[in-house]
Amino acid sequence: MRKIELLAPAKNLECGIAAIDHGADAVYIGARNFGARHAAGNSTDDIRALCLYARQFGVKVYATVNTVIYDHELDEAVRLVKDLAEAGVDAVLVQDMGLFAEVRDMGLKVEWHASTQTDNRTVEKVRWLHGLGFSHVVLARELTAEEIAEIHREVPDVELEVFAHGALCVSFSGQCYASQQCFKRSANRGECAQMCRMKYSVMDADGNEVAPPAYYLSLKDQCQIDNLEKIIEAGACSLKIEGRLKDVAYVKNVIAAYSKRLDSIVEKSGGRYRRASWGRTELAFTPDLKKTFCRGYTDYFLNGRHADIASIRTPKAIGEYVGKVKEIRRGRQMSFNVSSLCSFANGDGLCYIDREGNMKGFRVNRAEGNRLFPLQMPDDLKQGTMLYRNQDQAFDRLLAGKTAVRSIAVRMSLVLNGNTLELDIKGVNAPVHGSAVLVLGKIHQAQKPQMDLILRQLTKLGGTVYRCEEISVAPELDGVFIPSSLLASLRRQATENIVTTARRNVTAITEKRHPVPSDSYHRRFGHLYNIANEKARLFYEAQGLETREKAFELGNDGQLLMQCRHCIRYTLGYCVKHGGRRPEWKEPLTLRLTDGREFTLEFDCKNCQMNVLGK
C-alpha cells in the first residue's frame, strides 16, 4: 500500500491550519529567511505552532530554505536550519549545496528535500541527489507522465513530488535569470520580478515584427485534478499545490477540491493507495476551481506538447465564463442582462476580451437577477460579448467563514477495576492513544440506570479534534452512581493524554557517489549550477565538477537567461518538427519589451527547448 500526500502551500500560520483542516496531508511553509518567495517568510514560533497542530493528524510540515546563499549568510542559514529542526519540521527544502553540505558535515539530523529550484528533470539528476542523501525530490513542472515514470522506475527509492496545481514559471525552476539581469532581483533569491508576465513583440533578424505585442511568455495556470491517477501511477507520492503567496480562500478551495478527488481515487484503488495522514474533513461548501484565481487552466506537458498552454492575451486572472451579453440599456441607469444560468451579486468583478485582444474589467454595482448595473459601463461592451467573472462576492463571503472541520475517529472503552475507573481512547484508523484513571473511593449504587448518562458524558468531545465512533462500557457500570463532573474530568484527562504514536523518522545519510549530471548547457554555461558561496564550490569540486563559474547573481551578466520547454515558434504555428509551416523570417528571433530591450531566442529543436539569451 503506497501513501499519497496532498501537499499544500502556507503563506502563514492561518493558511497552514486552513490547509490541514481542508484535507492536506503535508504543508510547506517559508522560514523567516532564505525562502524562494521572499514575501512569504514566517517566524520559527509560528512554524512550531503549525507543527504542533499538524502532528495531531499525522500531517507533515516542510520548511523552505531554498534560495542561493552568499558566503556572509551561510552561518545564519545554518542556525535557521537548526531552529527549524528543533521546532519540529519534518523536512527542509534546499537548493544551495553549500548549505546542504555545511549542515550535513556538522552531523545535524535533518530530512532533506531537493527543491524544484535544483532543476530536477532527468534520471541522472534525481539519482545523484538521492545518492547525496536527499530522501525526496521535487520534479520540474515540465515533465510528461512518461518522464516521471522513467525516473521512478530508475530511482524507485526516492520520493517524487509533482506539481499538480497553480501558477507556472515559463523557465525551468532555478534556471531563470531574467529578473536578475533586468532589475537585479534574483528569482533564486525569492525576489522574482516576473519577466514572464510582461508584454513583448517578436522580431526577426532584420528588425521586422513577426508577431504583435502580447504576453508570449505568460503561461496559463496548471490544473491536474483530472490527471491525478495518471501522476500517481507514474510514481509520484506527493501532489503539490503551488501558492505560497496566495490567500486563505485560495488554500481552502483548492485543497478541498483536490482532497475530495484524491479520496475518491484512494477509495477505488482496492487498497493500493492510502492517504498519508489521517482524519476526516467535513466541508461546509462545495469546492469549485473555476472560482479561484487562475489565468485559465492547462495540463502543461503532462500529456505531451500541445499549443494551448500560454495566456498570451493577459497575465491576469480571467476567471470563470459566466455567459454572453444579451441586451444593453444605455441612458441614465445603464445596465445589461446576461444570458447565463449563474447567480450574480453586488460587487462581482467581471471582465472580457476586447477587439484588440486586451482584457478589460469592471465592477457590478447592483445585480437584479441577470440584469447587471455596472459601476461604470464600458464603452465597447457589445451584445454577444463573452463575460468572465474573476471575483465572486458570494463565494468569497462563504469562504471567509468556517468552512471545514477535520476530526479523528476514536474508540472509547470504560472499565471498572476494583474501585478505579479506567478510560482508554484509541484511533480507529490513526495511531493515536490516550488513557486516564480515576479512583472512585466508596462505590455507590445508582437509583436508576446510568448507561445513557455515561455514554452522553464520555462522548462530549467538542473542543477536541476527536469524534467517538464506537464506545464500550462495562455492563456493571450501569448500576454505579458516578457524578457527571467526574466523568467529564476523566474524559478531559484521557483526551489531554492522547499522543500520536507515529514519530518523525529522519533517514540517515549514506552517501552513494554518482557523477554530477552535466548536460550541454551546463557545460556551456557554468553559472547554471548556482554556486553562490565557497562551501558550494568546494562541494562541487569534491563531486568532480570542473567548472569554477560563480552564480549569475555574482556578476555573470549577458548569458543564458531562461530555459523553457514552452516554445514561441511552436505557439505561432511555425514548428516544422510538430507539423507547423516553415517560417519565412530570418532568425534569430528576439523578444522586444515596450522599452526597447531585446532578448534573443535560441531554438534547441533536438531537445525541444527554447532558450532566452541576454543580448
Side-chain angles (χ1 to χ4, degrees):
M1 182 180 290
R2 187 148 62 94
K3 292 189 294 184
I4 307 298
E5 74 175 17
L6 177 59
L7 177 57
K11 178 181 181 180
N12 50 35
L13 177 59
E14 179 192 14
C15 287
I17 290 174
I20 294 167
D21 288 345
H22 289 74
D25 301 295
V27 175
Y28 63 103
I29 187 169
R32 63 178 179 263
N33 206 348
F34 308 119
R37 296 291 184 273
H38 183 70
N42 292 273
S43 70
T44 304
D45 285 343
D46 278 357
I47 293 174
R48 181 180 292 107
L50 181 61
C51 290
L52 289 172
Y53 188 80
R55 207 71 69 220
Q56 305 173 96
F57 302 101
V59 171
K60 293 186 176 181
V61 176
Y62 308 142
T64 59
V65 188
N66 56 343
T67 65
V68 295
I69 295 167
Y70 299 149
D71 281 305
H72 69 276
E73 300 170 327
L74 195 54
D75 288 345
E76 181 187 350
V78 170
R79 286 194 297 272
L80 175 59
V81 172
K82 288 181 180 177
D83 290 345
L84 292 169
E86 291 170 0
V89 301
D90 295 278
V92 177
L93 282 87
V94 69
Q95 172 188 188
D96 194 288
M97 290 300 160
L99 174 61
F100 166 75
E102 184 76 3
V103 175
R104 181 195 60 180
D105 294 347
M106 292 171 58
L108 181 65
K109 288 187 176 181
V110 177
E111 189 81 11
W112 293 106
H113 289 187
S115 168
T116 190
Q117 298 297 118
T118 54
D119 186 23
N120 311 314
R121 47 176 142 157
T122 64
V123 168
E124 292 73 24
K125 185 63 173 287
V126 175
R127 180 182 288 123
W128 178 69
L129 288 165
H130 190 228
L132 290 173
F134 286 90
S135 63
H136 186 113
V137 174
V138 187
L139 296 179
R141 294 168 174 86
E142 292 82 356
L143 299 188
T144 65
E146 289 76 15
E147 289 169 326
I148 296 169
E150 181 187 11
I151 291 171
H152 177 62
R153 186 168 56 250
E154 296 297 323
V155 198
D157 294 331
V158 70
E159 297 174 352
L160 299 181
E161 181 180 314
V162 172
F163 281 87
H165 191 93
L168 289 165
C169 299
V170 70
S171 174
F172 283 94
S173 294
Q175 308 288 274
C176 183
Y177 309 97
S179 178
Q180 172 68 22
Q181 172 83 343
C182 295
F183 300 107
K184 302 304 178 187
R185 290 174 52 183
S186 169
N188 279 316
R189 299 275 292 170
E191 299 172 337
C192 179
Q194 294 195 306
M195 295 289 293
C196 56
R197 305 299 181 190
M198 296 182 177
K199 183 177 281 189
Y200 298 88
S201 297
V202 182
M203 314 299 294
D204 69 10
D206 295 324
N208 301 312
E209 187 178 77
V210 171
Y215 301 94
Y216 293 107
L217 296 179
S218 181
L219 301 182
K220 293 181 177 180
D221 288 354
Q222 184 173 213
C223 180
Q224 304 290 8
I225 197 163
D226 293 327
N227 293 311
L228 293 185
E229 276 188 277
K230 177 178 283 192
I231 295 171
I232 293 168
E233 289 170 0
C237 66
S238 182
L239 306 168
K240 185 171 196 166
I241 308 300
E242 184 277 337
R244 270 195 296 133
L245 294 178
K246 297 294 197 302
D247 61 18
V248 70
Y250 173 94
V251 171
K252 287 180 175 183
N253 188 35
V254 176
I255 296 304
Y258 274 82
S259 184
K260 283 185 66 176
R261 183 64 62 89
L262 188 53
D263 279 344
S264 67
I265 291 170
V266 168
E267 186 177 353
K268 72 176 187 179
S269 72
R272 288 188 300 144
Y273 309 130
R274 73 172 180 86
R275 296 294 294 268
S277 64
W278 50 82
R280 183 182 73 194
T281 293
E282 295 180 1
L283 299 174
F285 75 108
T286 301
D288 187 344
L289 294 177
K290 296 190 300 295
K291 295 182 180 295
T292 286
F293 181 98
C294 78
R295 301 172 177 90
Y297 285 132
T298 175
D299 64 2
Y300 207 25
F301 288 98
L302 187 79
N303 295 302
R305 183 179 290 278
H306 57 92
D308 194 26
I309 66 172
S311 178
I312 66 173
R313 292 187 292 187
T314 176
K316 299 179 181 178
I318 193 167
E320 61 174 328
Y321 174 69
V322 292
K324 293 181 179 180
V325 174
K326 188 175 180 181
E327 175 258 345
I328 298 175
R329 294 178 187 173
R330 301 190 184 271
R332 189 171 180 180
Q333 277 202 326
M334 293 185 291
S335 67
F336 62 91
N337 62 5
V338 184
S339 177
S340 174
L341 297 177
C342 296
S343 297
F344 297 93
N346 300 348
D348 278 355
L350 301 180
C351 62
Y352 61 98
I353 304 298
D354 69 11
R355 186 175 297 177
E356 283 72 42
N358 299 310
M359 188 182 87
K360 291 185 176 179
F362 60 93
R363 183 79 58 191
V364 175
N365 192 45
R366 187 170 84 253
E368 296 178 358
N370 280 18
R371 178 150 297 275
L372 307 181
F373 298 80
L375 189 62
Q376 184 174 352
M377 178 71 79
D379 293 335
D380 57 351
L381 194 68
K382 299 185 182 336
Q383 184 177 346
T385 298
M386 298 172 67
L387 292 176
Y388 301 84
R389 177 164 53 191
N390 52 15
Q391 185 172 12
D392 186 327
Q393 288 287 347
F395 195 67
D396 290 348
R397 282 194 296 271
L398 180 61
L399 290 182
K402 181 72 172 176
T403 49
V405 174
R406 184 166 179 170
S407 60
I408 298 169
V410 295
R411 295 187 181 95
M412 306 179 75
S413 173
L414 183 67
V415 298
L416 182 64
N417 189 0
N419 66 341
T420 302
L421 282 175
E422 298 177 357
L423 178 62
D424 194 65
I425 301 177
K426 289 183 179 179
V428 175
N429 291 307
V432 298
H433 179 232
S435 60
V437 297
L438 179 66
V439 178
L440 290 176
K442 187 177 180 179
I443 296 178
H444 299 279
Q445 294 301 308
Q447 295 181 354
K448 59 181 181 179
Q450 296 292 294
M451 191 61 71
D452 287 345
L453 173 67
I454 293 171
L455 295 176
R456 188 166 60 251
Q457 285 297 329
L458 291 185
T459 56
K460 284 183 178 179
L461 294 172
T464 74
V465 299
Y466 308 105
R467 70 177 190 281
C468 182
E469 191 168 282
E470 181 182 319
I471 184 167
S472 170
V473 177
E476 62 268 24
L477 286 170
D478 192 31
V480 176
F481 174 72
I482 309 171
S484 295
S485 60
L486 293 183
L487 288 169
S489 176
L490 187 66
R491 181 196 69 236
R492 281 195 299 270
Q493 289 179 40
T495 54
E496 289 171 1
N497 290 338
I498 288 178
V499 295
T500 300
T501 56
R503 289 285 182 263
R504 189 161 55 103
N505 182 30
V506 178
T507 304
I509 294 178
T510 55
E511 186 171 340
K512 301 175 183 177
R513 182 61 61 89
H514 297 290
V516 181
S518 178
D519 63 25
S520 60
Y521 277 97
H522 281 74
R523 289 193 294 271
R524 178 178 166 193
F525 299 105
H527 69 273
L528 298 178
Y529 289 99
N530 296 329
I531 300 173
N533 57 69
E534 180 65 9
K535 186 73 177 183
R537 186 190 68 78
L538 292 173
F539 165 82
Y540 277 112
E541 188 176 271
Q543 292 288 318
L545 186 68
E546 296 181 0
T547 183
R548 295 178 181 271
E549 195 167 340
K550 295 180 179 180
F552 191 93
E553 290 79 3
L554 297 178
N556 288 303
D557 290 342
Q559 302 187 43
L560 178 61
L561 301 183
M562 292 184 186
Q563 297 181 65
C564 313
R565 186 164 265 189
H566 167 57
C567 177
I568 289 176
R569 185 197 278 172
Y570 179 90
T571 299
L572 295 176
Y574 290 98
C575 176
V576 178
K577 183 176 179 180
H578 287 92
R581 58 190 184 277
R582 189 170 297 279
E584 300 173 357
W585 61 72
K586 183 179 178 182
E587 293 192 2
L589 298 182
T590 58
L591 291 176
R592 178 182 291 174
L593 281 168
T594 54
D595 64 6
R597 280 178 294 180
E598 293 188 344
F599 306 91
T600 301
L601 298 180
E602 179 182 74
F603 298 101
D604 177 8
C605 296
K606 178 182 178 181
N607 295 305
C608 249
Q609 180 170 304
M610 180 184 76
N611 301 298
V612 181
L613 308 177
K615 295 194 72 174

